[in-house]
């Protein structure tokens, strides 16, 4: 191998085999929960940290109308944490997965990008969009794949 090629080959290597941090986006939808289960299996098999990420939407219109947006999204985050804790308790001793829960604010795409960057993700897992409009404007999953910054797995 030439010196130049050898230097380039090691530029993105973190010095480990397999992913060490797997980010999964959850929002409470069925597809996101399937993505979390899939990512949990990956993390278990790879002995990686599972970073479960919920992006709290910023709904300016709702806030302008006096709707308690922050409280509602906080409740969703707390409910997601409870669901994940319950699921991990059910499989405790059978499947052990190291996991953390993170919340970010903003739109789903930018929140997941920020999470993956800050957490130094080796892989990102998301559920397939269940919204018909995403066929036209593009789903979060498609945008993450197009960004080309991490391996992205889309779970149906």
């Amino acid at each position: 191998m030439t010196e130049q090629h050898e230097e380039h080959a090691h530029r993105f290597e973190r010095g480990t085999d397999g992913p060490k941090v797997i980010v999964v986006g959850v929002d409470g939808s069925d597809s996101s929960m399937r993505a979390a289960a899939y990512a949990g299996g990956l993390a278990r098999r790879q002995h990686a940290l599972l970073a479960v990420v919920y992006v709290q939407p910023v709904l300016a219109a709702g806030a302008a109308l006096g709707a308690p947006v922050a409280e509602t999204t906080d409740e969703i985050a707390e409910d997601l944490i409870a669901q994940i804790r319950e699921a991990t308790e059910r499989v405790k001793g059978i499947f052990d997965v190291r996991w953390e829960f993170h919340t970010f604010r903003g739109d789903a795409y930018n929140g997941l990008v920020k999470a993956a960057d800050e957490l130094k993700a080796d892989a990102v897992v998301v559920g397939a969009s269940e919204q018909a409009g995403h066929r036209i404007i593009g789903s979060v999953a498609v945008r993450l794949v197009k960004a080309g910054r991490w391996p992205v797995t889309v779970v149906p």
Side-chain angles (χ1 to χ4, degrees), residues 2-4 10 44 52 69 73 89 98 101 110 113 121-122 125 128 135 138 142 144 149-151:
T2 68
E3 187 174 319
Q4 182 183 17
H10 295 289
R44 179 183 56 80
V52 181
V69 174
T73 58
E89 282 299 314
R98 292 181 306 122
F101 186 85
N110 287 313
V113 166
D122 295 300
V125 180
R135 291 188 183 103
V142 169
L144 288 168
R149 293 165 62 182
W150 324 267

Side-chain angles (χ1 to χ4, degrees), residues 3-26:
E3 187 174 319
Q4 182 183 17
H5 187 301
E6 193 172 300
E7 183 179 314
H8 179 71
H10 295 289
R11 185 175 299 160
F12 297 106
E13 180 66 37
R14 295 184 198 258
T16 59
D17 289 333
K20 291 298 170 195
V21 178
I22 298 172
V23 167
V24 61
V26 296

Side-chain angles (χ1 to χ4, degrees), residues 96-116:
D96 289 321
V97 176
R98 292 181 306 122
W99 64 278
E100 300 174 347
F101 186 85
H102 300 270
T103 58
F104 289 82
R105 295 185 74 70
D107 68 276
Y109 171 76
N110 287 313
L112 286 172
V113 166
K114 183 176 181 180

Side-chain angles (χ1 to χ4, degrees), residues 12-91:
F12 297 106
E13 180 66 37
R14 295 184 198 258
T16 59
D17 289 333
K20 291 298 170 195
V21 178
I22 298 172
V23 167
V24 61
V26 296
D27 62 6
S29 67
D30 288 343
S31 67
S32 80
M33 298 313 271
R34 286 190 298 270
Y38 181 86
L42 287 176
R44 179 183 56 80
R45 288 186 298 277
Q46 297 290 329
H47 305 289
L49 172 67
L50 177 63
V52 181
V53 175
Y54 169 61
V55 181
Q56 292 179 300
V58 177
L59 305 172
L65 297 173
V69 174
E71 291 152 12
T72 302
T73 58
D74 286 344
E75 287 174 19
I76 293 169
E78 290 301 319
D79 184 52
L80 290 169
I81 292 171
Q83 287 180 46
I84 294 163
R85 283 195 177 119
E86 181 183 310
T88 56
E89 282 299 314
R90 281 195 308 262
V91 297

